[in-house]
Amino acid sequence: MQIHFNGHHMDVTPALRTYTEEKLSKLLKHFDHITSIHVVYAIEKRVHLVEATIAINQAEIHARAESSDMYAAVDALEEKLKHQLSTYKGKHLERRRADNDPISEQD
């Protein structure tokens, strides 16, 4: 899994980078097929924004979180991505189960 970091109107500190890597690496527990993650940090007025786009085999998941503290925004982003990944995984598994169920015809 590759993680790319960008900062808009700010420098990404090593502490913030490692904190985000630790949080986002926990997402692998929920879904194994993550190929890359692109994280963008931004500061607009007094609001700290964090956006992330996760590339999965056949889809992309995008989330955005904002807070008055950058670390709190990263925590909120992690929760949003966990929820989206579990929803995607549930839909994906349901679709696979529906494709594998034999159609029973009774005469």
Side-chain angles (χ1 to χ4, degrees):
M1 174 178 74
Q2 298 176 349
I3 303 177
H4 304 280
F5 300 98
N6 285 345
H8 287 259
H9 308 293
M10 66 172 288
D11 294 327
V12 181
T13 63
L16 183 61
R17 181 184 300 251
T18 56
Y19 184 77
T20 306
E21 285 177 351
E22 289 172 2
K23 288 292 188 175
L24 296 181
S25 65
K26 293 178 184 179
L27 297 176
L28 288 174
K29 294 178 185 176
H30 298 284
F31 197 75
D32 296 348
H33 304 290
I34 297 173
T35 56
S36 67
I37 301 176
H38 184 78
V39 181
V40 179
Y41 303 99
I43 297 176
E44 295 179 3
K45 297 185 182 179
R46 296 181 184 171
V47 178
H48 298 269
L49 303 169
V50 182
E51 295 181 359
T53 303
I54 297 179
I56 302 173
N57 291 343
Q58 299 174 352
E60 283 190 351
I61 295 177
H62 181 79
R64 177 182 176 154
E66 58 184 54
S67 179
S68 60
D69 179 34
M70 189 63 77
Y71 292 96
V74 171
D75 292 340
L77 180 75
E78 178 202 10
E79 291 299 319
K80 288 181 180 185
L81 289 172
K82 271 190 211 176
H83 179 70
Q84 287 185 12
L85 281 174
S86 64
T87 302
Y88 176 80
K89 185 176 179 180
K91 288 181 180 180
H92 185 68
L93 289 176
E94 286 177 13
R95 192 176 314 131
R96 286 185 67 195
R97 286 183 190 140
D99 290 343
N100 291 335
D101 284 345
I103 300 173
S104 60
E105 295 180 15
Q106 296 188 12
D107 295 356

